[in-house]
Amino acid sequence: MKRFVEVEQLLRAKGVRLTDQRRLVVRRAVAYLHFTAEELVRDVKGFDPSVARGTIYRTLALLHQAGVVEKHDFRYGPPNYEVTFAKAHHDHLMCVQCGEIIEFQEPRVETLQQAVVKRYGYQLLSHTHKLYGLCRTCQHVDRKRVSLPPTLHVEEVVA
Amino acid sequence: MKRFVEVEQLLRAKGVRLTDQRRLVVRRAVAYLHFTAEELVRDVKGFDPSVARGTIYRTLALLHQAGVVEKHDFRYGPPNYEVTFAKAHHDHLMCVQCGEIIEFQEPRVETLQQAVVKRYGYQLLSHTHKLYGLCRTCQHVDRKRVSLPPTLHVEEVVA
DNA sequence: TACCTAATTGAGACTCAGTCTCAACTATTG
DNA sequence: CAATAGTTGAGACTGAGTCTCAATTAGGTA
């Protein structure tokens, strides 16, 4: 079955009223792996310019609340949405030069996270774990030519 | 020696020209552990309202580039700056209810990160690792009363 | 099937955080 | 002390997202 049908069923089960606009937004969103809100706006408006920005943002929020998409901050540019519906948990590795995003799983990190929160008496609800680096290809290009965002080289730089 | 004197020396060593405005911004910034840009703007303007917003943002960027402050996205509200000058590397654990931030060190996570990037042929440059949960106190209050940002319960929720 | 009503929509004003421009000013160099 | 390159203040501007509200519509009900 098409993914968007399943998502629409999920939304309906949550009591969300489906409209033509929402159906279009859902179908366009699940066509992506990662997208920004404004990319989705442009994409949807390409199919039907009469759908309002507000409607697209509202529908995106519904998808978010329903757990269909997750919101990520990859530090470069606006937040990035990922369609995680029926997908296993994973973290991300991003090439800061070409923007490639790799999804990886490392359960041992999760074990250590539990150890950390236990140490402080916390109950863990969620986490953000993102690695930034250079992919094999980009390690061999002249980095001097590239203007990286100024953020990169100072935030949590690995020794 | 006062921290801000050291920071000013560092900036000067980088060829940054020091002005009265910059000195004020630096002194106010290093008085904090964590702060947002707009908090810093209000704080600085409390001492000298004639300092322009633009100047404060520009000086903050200088501090960022010089590695004196790091920029964090804690998902709730605008980015948060942390004065990391002469501080050991650490990650963060945040209580989503009361906002408490704990800095923790877990070198074994870093080891695993190296293993992950090696797996994909990447060269690791930096990372973001933040844990979100409930502190001991907040685990025992009625959570129904609290309106958490809608983001929380869907992003990378731990199973 | 038509009706009812609460939910949703489109349009655009609005907000917030941050950036940019540029003439006026000022710290450093020679 | 003059030259000049860097810095400043003021405010316009931007991007991304939110809000308002009258008009419209989905989906339950008669």
Side-chain angles (χ1 to χ4, degrees):
Chain A
M1 196 190 311
K2 293 282 187 184
R3 261 146 71 85
F4 68 76
V5 177
E6 294 176 76
V7 171
E8 284 174 12
Q9 282 175 352
L10 172 66
L11 290 176
R12 195 182 287 277
K14 295 207 171 224
V16 172
R17 186 182 291 187
L18 290 180
T19 62
D20 288 347
Q21 294 90 334
R22 286 181 177 176
R23 268 186 277 264
L24 176 59
V25 173
V26 167
R27 282 155 202 228
R28 295 313 307 152
V30 303
Y32 286 92
L33 294 175
H34 287 270
F35 59 91
T36 66
E38 289 299 320
E39 279 168 2
L40 183 62
V41 169
R42 281 191 295 275
D43 183 298
V44 168
K45 280 185 169 285
F47 285 84
D48 181 353
S50 76
V51 179
R53 270 164 57 80
T55 298
I56 299 168
Y57 271 90
R58 283 181 294 238
T59 307
L60 185 52
L62 286 176
L63 289 172
H64 194 193
Q65 282 158 21
V68 173
V69 301
E70 286 180 4
K71 193 176 179 180
H72 294 293
D73 181 349
F74 281 113
R75 300 207 291 223
Y76 311 118
N80 196 290
Y81 291 86
E82 178 185 10
V83 181
T84 48
F85 180 71
K87 234 172 127 178
H89 171 72
H90 55 263
D91 291 332
H92 295 87
L93 166 59
M94 184 188 207
C95 176
V96 300
Q97 183 113 3
C98 67
E100 180 187 49
I101 293 173
I102 288 179
E103 300 174 352
F104 68 88
Q105 291 182 282
E106 185 42 87
R108 285 173 293 174
V109 169
E110 253 106 305
T111 307
L112 290 172
Q113 289 173 347
Q114 289 296 344
V116 168
V117 301
K118 192 172 174 193
R119 188 186 307 163
Y120 298 102
Y122 270 58
Q123 178 194 340
L124 186 60
L125 292 174
S126 64
H127 71 257
T128 300
H129 188 209
K130 295 183 171 59
L131 307 183
Y132 299 89
L134 289 171
C135 71
R136 216 184 302 260
T137 308
C138 294
Q139 283 170 43
H140 302 299
V141 306
D142 180 8
R143 298 193 64 211
K144 296 222 176 68
R145 299 255 174 100
V146 184
S147 67
L148 287 169
T151 341
L152 176 66
H153 297 294
V154 287
E155 188 185 352
E156 294 186 1
V157 170
V158 172
Chain B
M1 196 189 308
K2 293 282 187 184
R3 261 147 69 86
F4 68 78
V5 177
E6 292 175 77
V7 171
E8 285 174 13
Q9 283 175 351
L10 172 66
L11 291 176
R12 193 181 288 276
K14 296 209 171 223
V16 172
R17 187 185 290 188
L18 290 180
T19 62
D20 288 348
Q21 294 91 334
R22 287 181 175 175
R23 267 186 279 265
L24 176 58
V25 173
V26 167
R27 281 156 202 228
R28 294 314 305 151
V30 302
Y32 287 92
L33 294 175
H34 286 269
F35 59 90
T36 66
E38 289 297 320
E39 280 169 1
L40 183 62
V41 169
R42 282 191 293 277
D43 183 299
V44 168
K45 281 186 168 285
F47 285 85
D48 181 354
S50 76
V51 179
R53 269 165 56 82
T55 298
I56 299 168
Y57 271 90
R58 285 182 292 238
T59 307
L60 185 51
L62 286 176
L63 288 172
H64 194 195
Q65 281 158 20
V68 173
V69 300
E70 285 180 7
K71 193 177 180 179
H72 294 291
D73 181 349
F74 281 113
R75 299 206 292 220
Y76 312 119
N80 196 289
Y81 291 85
E82 178 186 10
V83 181
T84 49
F85 180 72
K87 235 173 127 179
H89 172 72
H90 55 264
D91 291 332
H92 295 88
L93 167 59
M94 184 188 206
C95 177
V96 301
Q97 183 112 6
C98 66
E100 179 188 50
I101 294 173
I102 287 179
E103 300 174 351
F104 68 88
Q105 291 182 280
E106 186 41 87
R108 284 173 293 173
V109 169
E110 252 107 306
T111 307
L112 290 171
Q113 289 172 347
Q114 290 296 344
V116 168
V117 300
K118 193 175 171 190
R119 189 186 306 162
Y120 298 102
Y122 269 58
Q123 177 194 340
L124 187 60
L125 292 174
S126 65
H127 71 256
T128 301
H129 188 210
K130 295 185 172 56
L131 307 183
Y132 299 89
L134 289 171
C135 71
R136 216 184 302 262
T137 309
C138 293
Q139 283 170 44
H140 302 301
V141 307
D142 181 8
R143 298 192 66 210
K144 294 223 177 64
R145 298 254 175 98
V146 183
S147 66
L148 287 169
T151 339
L152 178 65
H153 297 295
V154 287
E155 186 187 352
E156 293 187 358
V157 170
V158 172

